[in-house]
């Protein structure tokens, strides 16, 4: 197997480990990359109970059927992306287990399992001003009444497409973004966060 | 400098915080809480600018957004801002401002000579004079702009930071006067998410300017309590210094918040301004009203202000703007200014247009023994600059003429009140229709729109009592409509201004005919007089929209806030039509000008558009390679060695790929995962060739056409499983191809069982091309057999390369023996480096997009979007071989049968060889058959691709040429601006014509 140190995250060139040393306290925003998370895209029929139970059997998580919601069965999370599309996330490396398990579980059923782990990275935006920061680039209503913990949405952020997921009350938003856009998004977020004070952190 | 007009006490300014500022190079002092205008008036500076056309001396007219005169150039260098309204500029220490539209100085302005020529500058002067010949307009315009300009735009980059953000709320309240504050309270108490905005630094609106009492205490006590409660409500956001500048569809409101303007700009990360796009479920407009000036002879001298402005300057800023005042009014509100001045020790005479004045403030003034001249007019004013006196005369009963003789009253301050116009700008922008109210002599909102509520003066409901009761009601109704329960709030008892009957005279009578002996200004900013409007009517203009454009009334940066109603009333009188029949002009955003920087925010420089990086981006940066933009991607253009020119580098790269090994990052190629039992049906639809018999593990090239039969993308698709395909597209076409197939699947063939997913970024793709490619890769893999028999051209194998899981495609965009190695993206750089290291002995050479283009052009491989432009069929490209004759249908097939797509003389892709082999034709050059000394010449087509090819040993070019295939062997010419190049038409391929190199 290939040496893990050869694996490079989308933002490795930003030198985040060095930046973390100088992280300021009391920052209104903390930015970090959460790289290599396993991400498996699922396509199938929500009306097909067999499909839903096949996912449950293989991934151990219920697929959310309400738009823009998520289901979590630690360490696996299922995010609703569309009426026939979900994203299953899990810790790094789990895609090597999840993809074959889901494919086997579906058998001849018309459903698609697509490994997108390498396509994307996750930037976490945390802190008291996280909503204010995202509001600079996102037209959605991210107020807790409209976008509670556990909500997710595929939307535009700045000038890129992104998947937003509110994971805790801090609040912490996880922004899943195509790898090639990660540097742009990072620079954009760090600049837009300046007025709140920004700290960079490694995970 | 002393503040000679500053009152010893009162006002909302902070006397413990003096602020120094420069105006026209002179140093003055004001206080925190001042605007630039109030600070200037405190220093008795009235004369602050020159008018637009006549360069007449002008003073501060108003106290807010309506200001047409006191437009200043604010600050210097990159921070400079033209046309800032001094009445809306919050004073700060070190502020620098200067007058506009004057040269060399405000006092000694040469342009004032225009005033002497005013007889030849009537309405429509520019239209009449600079009409002919039309081609001269460009010349005229330069001089007109210089003579009649306003401020100067900055020449340097703006150093300030600007932000923009989106915001959602249940109730947005615009205007924080008594009505708006009451509305915000009623809505906020229900738990609704409320935003309250006001353009001023301090919230309170008229409560700050007028004396009044609420619940038996000064109104400002109620204000403080109310603001305290609003700030305690967690879901209420209060934004002072924030203008709602535009009201768009579905309750989308644009706000501009001035965060740092009053501190002189942005500060660290804190922006100067923030633009908000607010989507509100419900909107409450409590935008108040703007006072109208009166139109009398020479009503524009410095020292003549709106009466309400005089009242505001006394009560809010503790500034009595003169020592001897005359108030001319047709209503009771004008007395507010008179009483305020009198309270400040200024002697006042009131000229009341009404013959029998009434109203609570009138009664107070009378009781105090103030001189009141009922049924009088101001016939003219005196002064060379600052007003020094007025002539008052009794009027005839109908107000159309004067009787008796005039009396001169010496004064240095005149206030005028021609009644009030509700601030219906935002209401009208939202699509609201106006209704003319005769009694109010004002346009008021005529219908109530869904999701919108109005309260107070904007509805024509004048008076403090109405403002509060309508405000509470509107706020509660808005909250209820947004789904909250709003409890009824007790409306407090008030004591203050209440409306009384008024008299409207649109032009005040005088002993001289209109326009003789003085000018009766209607639009102060654009220098439009009552006489100009009447002239426009005499010349045949009737429509308010035409008169506006002809006279330019209401077309200044103030958008006629003080002039529009006066202008159309004068128009209505002149044409003899009722005001409602004349109608109003259209209200358009922005309400007041918005800094362009706020719209741009951080969409500048590297953040103007996303920069997409490939896995080898950092490596290429380190070796000093320049990048080329391909859509949003940055792709390495070429890899120069030290001191190497681009030409030399590209030649070296192109040679290396044909003699040993070249390596290229092709990760940007679009990749689409296609799964499902109907996948092959979809492929048969979107490609022109047949896909039924592709074996698993084999690849095929395909062309895609749009409905018109025109080529719109191409690429190689590989079957990787029973019902599983891996499609590649052009780099920039990837999103378009995915959307195209999704559209057909979702709209036309929803029954097809196919799932499409973009996997472009799942794989790093490194192309390895050249005679030594197979040898190199065989050294790096143990589980992929590379011999032709097991791994032929146009097939795919899975295994490992350099220990990394890989899909290797044997395909070629160079015509060489070539492999495209796909590995998980995070290992892309590791693969690149492994290949570079292992390839050292073969002098492996990284190449960029330029060499890639040369290599494929040598072989005549097209690039969609470069050699095609959406008007090119497969036949035009000489690619009929890829269009299936057997398939019953595919997208674009029908269009290929049209007479036009079957013509013989369409433009064909051909090759061009120059007579001089070292000369490359510029891409885009027009090709002609018959050269003439100068255009026009019959153009046969143009060059789409052109390079120097070291492998062919000469320049090569591809071109789309009319009837091109029939011209092979002909001599044509590339016609360039500075020279012509003789070319010979050839087949569109130049190298390895037998096509054997792909086998290694």
């Amino acid at each position: 197997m290939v040496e893990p140190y050869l694996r490079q995250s989308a933002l490795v060139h930003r030198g985040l480990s060095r930046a973390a040393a100088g992280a300021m306290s009391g920052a209104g925003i903390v930015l970090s990359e959460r790289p290599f998370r396993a991400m498996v895209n699922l396509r199938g029929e929500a009306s097909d109970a067999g499909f839903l139970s096949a996912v449950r059997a293989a991934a151990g998580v219920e697929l959310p059927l309400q738009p823009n919601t998520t289901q979590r069965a630690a360490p696996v999370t299922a995010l609703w992306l569309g009426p026939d599309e979900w994203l299953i996330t899990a810790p790094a490396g789990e895609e090597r287990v999840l993809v074959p398990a889901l494919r086997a579980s579906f058998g001849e059923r018309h459903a698609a399992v697509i490994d997108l782990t390498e396509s994307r990275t996750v930037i976490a935006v945390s802190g008291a001003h996280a909503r204010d920061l995202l509001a600079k680039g996102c037209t959605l209503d991210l107020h807790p009444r409209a976008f509670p913990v556990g909500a997710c949405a595929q939307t535009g952020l700045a000038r890129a497409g992104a998947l937003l997921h509110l994971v805790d009350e801090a609040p912490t938003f996880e922004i899943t973004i195509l790898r090639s856009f990660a540097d742009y998004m990072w620079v954009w977020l760090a600049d837009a966060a300046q007025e709140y004070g920004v700290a960079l952190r490694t995970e | 400098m002393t503040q000679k007009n500053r009152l010893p006490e009162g006002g909302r300014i902070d006397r413990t915080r003096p602020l120094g500022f420069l105006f026209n190079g002179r140093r003055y002092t004001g206080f925190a809480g001042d605007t630039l205008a109030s600070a200037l008036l405190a220093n008795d500076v009235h004369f602050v600018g020159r008018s637009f056309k006549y360069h007449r001396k002008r003073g501060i007219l108003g106290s807010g957004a309506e200001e047409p005169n006191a437009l200043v150039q604010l600050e210097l260098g990159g921070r400079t801002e033209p046309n800032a309204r001094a009445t809306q500029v919050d004073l700060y220490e070190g502020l620098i401002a200067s007058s506009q539209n004057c040269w060399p100085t405000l006092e000694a302005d040469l342009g004032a000579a225009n005033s002497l020529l005013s007889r030849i500058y009537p309405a429509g002067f520019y239209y009449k004079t600079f009409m002919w010949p039309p081609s001269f307009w460009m010349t005229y315009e330069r001089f007109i702009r210089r003579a009649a300009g306003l401020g100067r735009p900055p020449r340097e980059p703006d150093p300030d930071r600007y932000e923009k953000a989106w915001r959602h709320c249940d109730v947005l309240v615009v205007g924080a006067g008594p009505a708006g504050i009451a509305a915000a309270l009623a809505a906020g108490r229900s738990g609704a998410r409320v935003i309250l905005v006001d353009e001023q630094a301090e919230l309170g609106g008229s409560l700050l300017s007028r004396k009044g009492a609420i619940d038996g205490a000064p109104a400002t006590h109620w204000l403080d309590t109310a603001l305290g409660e609003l700030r305690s409500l967690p879901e209420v956001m209060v934004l002072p210094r924030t203008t709602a500048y535009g009201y768009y569809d579905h309750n989308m409101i644009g706000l501009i918040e001035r965060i740092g303007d009053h501190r002189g700009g942005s500060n660290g990360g804190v922006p100067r301004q923030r633009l908000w796009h607010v989507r509100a479920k419900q909107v409450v407009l409590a935008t108040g009203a703007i006072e109208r000036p009166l139109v009398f002879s020479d009503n524009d001298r410095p020292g003549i202000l709106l009466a309400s402005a005089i009242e505001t300057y006394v009560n809010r800023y503790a500034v009595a703007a003169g020592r001897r005042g005359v108030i001319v009014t047709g209503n009771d509100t004008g007395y507010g200014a008179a009483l305020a001045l009198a309270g400040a020790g200024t002697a006042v005479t009131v000229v009341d247009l009404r013959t029998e004045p009434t109203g609570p403030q009138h009664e107070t003034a009378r009781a105090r023994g103030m001189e009141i001249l009922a049924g009088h007019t101001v016939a003219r004013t005196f002064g060379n600059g600052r007003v020094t006196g007025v002539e008052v005369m009794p009027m005839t009963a109908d107000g159309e003429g004067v009787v008796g003789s005039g009396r001169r009253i010496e004064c240095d301050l005149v206030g005028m009140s021609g009644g009030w116009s509700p601030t219906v700008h935002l209401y009208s922008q939202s699509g609201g229709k106006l209704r003319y109210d005769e009694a109010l002599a004002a346009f008021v909102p005529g219908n109530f729109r869904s999701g919108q509520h109005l309260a107070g003066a904007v509805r024509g409901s004048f008076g403090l009592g109405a403002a509060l009761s309508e405000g509470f009601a509107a706020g509660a109704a808005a909250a209820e409509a947004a789904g909250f329960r709003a409890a009824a709030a007790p409306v407090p008892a008030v004591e203050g201004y209440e409306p009384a009957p008024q008299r409207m005279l649109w032009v005040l009578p005088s002993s001289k005919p209109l326009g003789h002996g003085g000018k009766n200004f209607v639009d102060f900013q654009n220098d439009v007089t009552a006489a100009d409007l009447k002239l426009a009517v005499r010349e045949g203009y009737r429509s308010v929209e035409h008169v506006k454009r002809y006279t330019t009334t209401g077309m200044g940066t103030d958008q006629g806030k003080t002039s529009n109603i006066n202008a159309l009333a004068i128009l209505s009188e002149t044409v003899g039509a009722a005001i409602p029949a004349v109608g109003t002009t259209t209200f358009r955003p922005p309400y007041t000008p918005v800094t362009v920087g706020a719209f741009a925010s951080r969409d500048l420089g590297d953040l103007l558009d996303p920069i997409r990086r490939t896995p080898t981006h950092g490596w290429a940066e380190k070796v000093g390679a320049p990048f080329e933009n391909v859509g949003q991607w940055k792709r390495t253009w070429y890899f120069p060695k030290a001191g190497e020119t681009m030409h030399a580098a590209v030649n070296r790269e192109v040679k290396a790929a044909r003699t040993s090994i070249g390596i290229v990052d092709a990760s940007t190629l679009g990749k689409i995962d296609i799964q499902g039992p109907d996948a092959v049906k979809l492929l048969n639809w979107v490609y022109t060739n047949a896909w039924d018999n592709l074996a698993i593990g084999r690849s095929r090239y395909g062309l895609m056409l749009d409905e018109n039969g025109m080529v719109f993308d191409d690429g190689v698709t590989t079957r990787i499983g029973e019902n599983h395909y891996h499609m590649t597209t052009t780099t920039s076409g990837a999103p378009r191809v995915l959307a195209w197939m999704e559209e057909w699947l979702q709209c036309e063939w929803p029954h097809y069982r196919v799932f499409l997913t973009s996997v472009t970024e799942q794989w790093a793709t490194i192309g390895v091309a050249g005679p030594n490619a197979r040898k190199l890769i065989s050294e790096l893999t143990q589980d992929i057999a590379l011999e032709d028999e097991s791994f032929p051209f146009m097939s795919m194998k899975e295994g490992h390369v350099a220990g990394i899981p890989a899909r290797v495609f044997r395909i070629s965009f160079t015509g060489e023996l070539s492999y495209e190695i796909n590995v998980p993206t995070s290992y892309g750089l590791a693969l690149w480096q492994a290949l570079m290291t292992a390839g050292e002995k073969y002098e492996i050479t990284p190449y960029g997009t330029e060499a890639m283009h040369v290599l494929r052009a040598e072989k005549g491989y097209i690039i969609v979007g470069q050699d095609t432009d959406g008007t090119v069929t497969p036949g035009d490209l000489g690619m009929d071989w890829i269009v299936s004759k057997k398939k019953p249908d595919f997208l674009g097939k029908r269009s290929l049968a049209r007479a036009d797509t079957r013509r013989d003389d369409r433009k064909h892709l051909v090759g061009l060889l120059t007579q001089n082999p070292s000369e490359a034709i510029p891409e885009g050059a027009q090709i002609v058959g018959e050269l003439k000394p100068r255009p026009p010449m019959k153009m046969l087509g143009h060059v789409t691709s052109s390079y120097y090819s070291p492998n062919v040993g000469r320049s090569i070019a591809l071109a789309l040429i009319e009837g091109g295939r029939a011209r092979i062997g002909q001599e044509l010419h590339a016609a360039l601006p500075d020279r012509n190049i003789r070319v010979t038409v050839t087949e569109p391929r130049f190298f390895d014509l037998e096509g054997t190199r792909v086998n290694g």
Side-chain angles (χ1 to χ4, degrees), chain B residues 135-213:
Chain B
S135 60
F136 272 35
W137 172 249
M138 297 305 280
T139 313
Y140 294 142
E141 193 190 17
R142 236 182 304 148
F143 289 99
I144 293 169
R145 291 243 177 263
R146 197 175 300 167
L150 289 169
R152 299 176 310 279
R155 301 269 174 204
E156 298 158 38
D158 189 333
D160 281 322
R161 286 176 70 87
Y162 298 85
E163 293 289 351
K164 61 181 168 191
W166 282 268
R167 190 93 187 185
H168 300 255
C169 67
D170 297 307
V171 180
L172 171 70
V173 182
V174 181
I181 288 172
L185 276 177
R189 285 168 181 163
S190 77
R193 293 159 62 191
V194 176
I195 301 175
L196 172 65
V197 302
D198 193 279
E199 62 185 355
Q200 302 200 27
E202 191 178 2
L203 304 183
S206 63
L207 298 177
L208 307 174
S209 298
R210 283 180 181 154
K211 298 283 185 201

Side-chain angles (χ1 to χ4, degrees), chain B residues 834-858:
Chain B
L835 289 164
M836 287 299 294
T837 305
E840 262 174 40
K841 54 184 170 294
Y842 304 110
E843 292 184 50
I844 188 168
T845 302
Y847 67 90
T849 50
E850 190 66 19
M852 179 183 85
H853 285 194
V854 178
L855 287 162
R856 64 89 205 180
E858 289 174 344

Side-chain angles (χ1 to χ4, degrees), chain B residues 768-779:
Chain B
V768 182
N772 289 322
R774 182 185 285 137
K775 268 192 270 181
L776 172 63
I777 295 171
S778 67
E779 294 167 20

